Amino acid sequence: MTTINPYLIFNGNCEAAFLFYKSVFGGEFPYIGRFKDMPAGDNTPELSEEEGNRIMHVCLPIGQAVLMGSDSNSVSGDVVFGGNVSISINVENKQEADRIFNGLSAGGNAYMPMADTFWGAYFGMFTDKFGINWMVNFDKNEKQ
């Protein structure tokens, strides 16, 4: 089943924000990762110690949805509030990921094409022709 979840980007205070949201909604973080946890590679940015401790990804289930978030860094640049929200779409297979990515990104800016990731997903990001930020994700490890 395809699901859609909000994804929030912060300028270094993602952890504080998500601890606050957790205090209101309850629950636990199934995953919280920092930029310093990324494996070294060609696409891994050089980050300061402070940026390495920033949140790369966190998620907090709330009812049937999952609130997701991360911090910006010097490579991505600071976010402008109002432009710091994306819609994250999780799909059941790679073909559906490509179909949705290609369809919604047509006429927009596909700044991170669909590709396999170190965290085991097939993932891409873009801004559509109307200025809306999207993320498309297929969790290969869960649905082989």
Side-chain angles (χ1 to χ4, degrees), residues 1-63:
M1 172 190 296
T2 299
T3 59
I4 295 177
N5 297 294
Y7 202 107
L8 310 174
I9 311 292
F10 297 86
N11 287 325
N13 59 345
C14 180
E15 185 170 15
F18 269 74
L19 288 171
F20 171 71
Y21 302 148
K22 181 180 168 187
S23 76
V24 173
F25 292 108
E28 296 298 324
F29 300 128
Y31 179 81
I32 186 166
R34 299 180 187 284
F35 284 107
K36 67 181 179 183
D37 299 330
M38 291 176 22
D42 293 339
N43 295 324
T44 304
E46 291 286 329
L47 300 174
S48 69
E49 183 177 344
E50 184 273 327
E51 287 182 309
N53 285 315
R54 287 185 175 194
I55 301 300
M56 180 193 66
H57 180 73
V58 62
C59 49
L60 178 64
I62 302 171

Side-chain angles (χ1 to χ4, degrees), residues 55-137:
I55 301 300
M56 180 193 66
H57 180 73
V58 62
C59 49
L60 178 64
I62 302 171
Q64 297 298 313
V66 178
L67 182 63
M68 298 183 217
S70 68
D71 279 313
S72 63
N73 59 52
S74 58
V75 175
S76 63
D78 285 346
V79 295
V80 175
F81 287 88
N84 64 318
V85 177
S86 294
I87 299 172
S88 175
I89 302 174
N90 295 298
V91 299
E92 292 187 0
N93 59 60
K94 191 173 182 178
Q95 294 76 21
E96 184 71 354
D98 286 334
R99 184 186 74 76
I100 289 173
F101 185 93
N102 292 334
L104 288 175
S105 66
N109 177 22
Y111 53 89
M112 184 175 181
M114 294 300 299
D116 294 326
T117 65
F118 70 85
W119 63 86
Y122 183 62
F123 179 81
M125 297 189 301
F126 61 93
T127 302
D128 72 18
K129 64 184 174 183
F130 301 103
I132 304 300
N133 298 316
W134 296 85
M135 300 174 172
V136 178
N137 187 77

